[in-house]
Amino acid sequence: MKKLLTVLLSFMLVAVVFAGCKKATTPTGDGTTGAKYHIGIVTGTVSQGEDGLRGGDALAKEYGTVANGGIIQAITYPDNFSSEQETVIADIVGLADDPLMKAIVVNQAVPGTTEAFKEIRAKRSDILLFAGSPQEDPNVIDAAADVVTEANSLARGYLMIWSAKQLGAKNFVHISFARHMSIELLSRRWAIMQQAGIDLGVKTYFETAPDPTSDVGVAGAQQFILEHVPTWVQKYGKDTAFFCTNDAETEPLLKQIMKYGGMLIETDSPTNGYPGAFGIDLTAQQGDWPAILKKVESTIVADGGTGRFASWAWSLDYTTTAGLGEYAKRCIDGTAKVANMQDMLSAFEKYTPGAAWNASDYTDLNTSKTDTNHFLIYQDTYVFGKGYLGTTKQVVPTKYLTYKAK
């Protein structure tokens, strides 16, 4: 009896040891026995912009969520963020209540982000604060954030005209409306386009479209584009490149250009307008950007659009969320430095294999002050049926970067 009891106790002891070992070696998001820190990711909802949210999903898949022992805590801000700024602020600040929170990434950095960052900084100086695609004044957000990134509208003003010329365009039509043209960087970009057109021999024209936020709504604005593109192609010719500042209006623009002629120079994602314009179902390819690019490209080539349509191969919104999250992790781990341009680009490149990037510091035109924590970035342009155009290798003349809208 004593021998049997001894054997049973031995088995129980072994079981406890193995159980303890299993618990201690269960992998978590950061590969440790328990996350040493957390990173907060704040994006819009699927209805506001799916790509940015999917970038957070990629981080959660790789590093695990806080709920399952990983490091990523992802939340979304309200769809009506403009009228619900108090909620936006409260939600972002709430992440700082977590004692393990060491970095917070907001993309897109909607109004209210600056105030949230200020409140966090007042009580938690140990938290890194990163902002992607800010919708607040650079002089405001730059002072509150450790790192800010956004698309380089100034360099792209020159590069889109350069790209149009490479594709054989003789004319370039810029489509926009008053609200967008009141935004400094967008108005400066249009001014740069006009000067670049003169310098590179491409004639530039402006066409006004309805603002989708006006009484006509998105449907009315899209209908306007559908009705006017045939007239514009007839007016300017099929060797004309088009560009629209509004994503909702890009979809009907793509559809009509394919039908009536012309070219479209650049969107910041192959999911921007292309799926809706050409009836492309990307459900099976969700989150797989090479597969998304391949399916969009095959459709365009089959429809006769080779060399006439272009995009960034990887979504800017997706990459900004994932890239800034990765960059924050590397800064916390000590393998990257805060506000270091090359370290930032390295993190972005991890999520965009094959695509080149270019970056520069933001300089305020009025004060000539350079913010070394605010990076203006752009990805090489991918021409469907042709491949990368090499825009990131082009040297943008300095005069365009300081060019003022007249």
Side-chain angles (χ1 to χ4, degrees):
M1 183 69 180
K2 289 183 179 180
K3 184 176 181 181
L4 177 61
L5 182 60
T6 301
V7 172
L8 287 173
L9 287 173
S10 298
F11 273 113
M12 290 175 65
L13 179 61
V14 170
V16 169
V17 170
F18 274 105
C21 290
K22 183 177 181 181
K23 182 177 180 180
T25 58
T26 299
T28 61
D30 62 349
T32 70
T33 57
K36 297 178 181 178
Y37 58 80
H38 296 156
I39 297 175
I41 304 294
V42 187
T43 67
T45 64
V46 169
S47 61
Q48 276 294 322
E50 183 176 351
D51 291 355
L53 186 143
R54 297 307 174 201
D57 290 346
L59 289 169
K61 182 178 180 180
E62 183 171 1
Y63 297 117
T65 63
V66 169
N68 67 20
I71 67 174
I72 302 300
Q73 179 67 58
I75 64 172
T76 59
Y77 48 71
D79 287 343
N80 297 321
F81 53 81
S82 294
S83 59
E84 297 184 46
Q85 281 196 35
E86 290 186 4
T87 302
V88 172
I89 295 169
D91 288 348
I92 297 173
V93 173
L95 290 170
D97 293 336
D98 176 358
L100 290 182
M101 190 62 62
K102 291 298 180 181
I104 296 174
V105 174
V106 183
N107 179 49
Q108 302 174 12
V110 297
T113 301
T114 295
E115 180 57 33
F117 280 5
K118 287 180 178 178
E119 292 186 21
I120 293 171
R121 188 73 73 210
K123 63 179 183 178
R124 291 286 305 276
S125 60
D126 61 315
I127 295 180
L128 295 175
L129 303 172
F130 290 1
S133 302
Q135 297 182 18
E136 297 176 295
D137 186 272
N139 294 318
V140 175
I141 188 68
D142 290 1
D146 291 296
V147 173
V148 179
T149 66
E150 66 177 305
N152 192 336
S153 293
L154 305 182
R156 291 166 68 211
Y158 170 82
L159 290 170
M160 276 194 270
I161 300 300
W162 179 86
S163 298
K165 185 174 182 179
Q166 307 313 302
L167 298 186
K170 295 180 180 178
N171 303 306
F172 184 94
V173 175
H174 181 276
I175 306 166
S176 192
F177 38 81
R179 179 172 61 86
H180 271 188
M181 298 316 296
S182 68
I183 300 173
E184 181 188 359
L185 286 178
L186 298 192
S187 62
R188 283 178 64 187
R189 182 176 65 187
W190 168 231
I192 292 169
M193 286 176 170
Q194 294 175 79
Q195 184 58 50
I198 294 172
D199 296 341
L200 297 176
V202 178
K203 295 180 179 179
T204 57
Y205 302 92
F206 189 98
E207 289 289 350
T208 300
D211 186 337
T213 65
S214 66
D215 293 341
V216 302
V218 172
Q222 291 180 328
Q223 185 61 35
F224 178 91
I225 298 295
L226 286 171
E227 294 174 355
H228 283 74
V229 170
T231 302
W232 292 338
V233 173
Q234 185 176 23
K235 178 180 179 181
Y236 299 113
K238 293 185 178 182
D239 52 1
T240 299
F242 293 85
F243 173 75
C244 185
T245 64
N246 181 261
D247 290 348
E249 294 177 347
T250 297
E251 182 177 312
L253 180 62
L254 286 164
K255 184 176 183 179
Q256 296 297 71
I257 289 175
M258 179 66 84
K259 183 176 181 180
Y260 293 98
M263 294 162 265
L264 188 132
I265 304 298
E266 194 180 285
T267 63
D268 61 12
S269 170
T271 60
N272 184 357
Y274 285 101
F278 304 123
I280 306 171
D281 183 2
L282 296 173
T283 304
Q285 291 77 29
Q286 181 177 293
D288 186 344
W289 291 98
I292 289 172
L293 185 71
K294 182 178 180 180
K295 190 165 185 178
V296 172
E297 182 170 36
S298 63
T299 300
I300 290 174
V301 170
D303 289 347
T306 296
R308 296 171 50 207
F309 297 88
S311 171
W312 290 7
W314 303 77
S315 164
L316 172 65
D317 215 18
Y318 168 88
T319 308
T320 298
T321 300
L324 284 181
E326 174 67 23
Y327 182 34
K329 182 180 185 300
R330 294 180 183 183
C331 288
I332 297 169
D333 291 342
T335 59
K337 295 181 180 180
V338 177
N340 180 284
M341 186 183 296
Q342 292 306 315
D343 286 345
M344 178 274 299
L345 283 177
S346 175
F348 274 55
E349 288 168 351
K350 172 182 176 178
Y351 294 96
T352 58
W357 288 85
N358 197 311
S360 59
D361 294 324
Y362 169 81
T363 299
D364 185 272
L365 192 59
N366 297 315
T367 65
S368 297
K369 177 179 177 292
T370 297
D371 291 340
T372 56
N373 68 324
H374 188 151
F375 303 122
L376 302 179
I377 59 177
Y378 61 92
Q379 189 183 135
D380 197 358
T381 298
Y382 188 91
V383 181
F384 293 112
K386 296 288 186 178
Y388 287 107
L389 198 54
T391 55
T392 52
K393 297 179 181 179
Q394 298 304 308
V395 177
V396 180
T398 304
K399 72 172 186 177
Y400 294 112
L401 304 179
T402 56
Y403 199 81
K404 290 185 178 182
K406 297 179 180 179

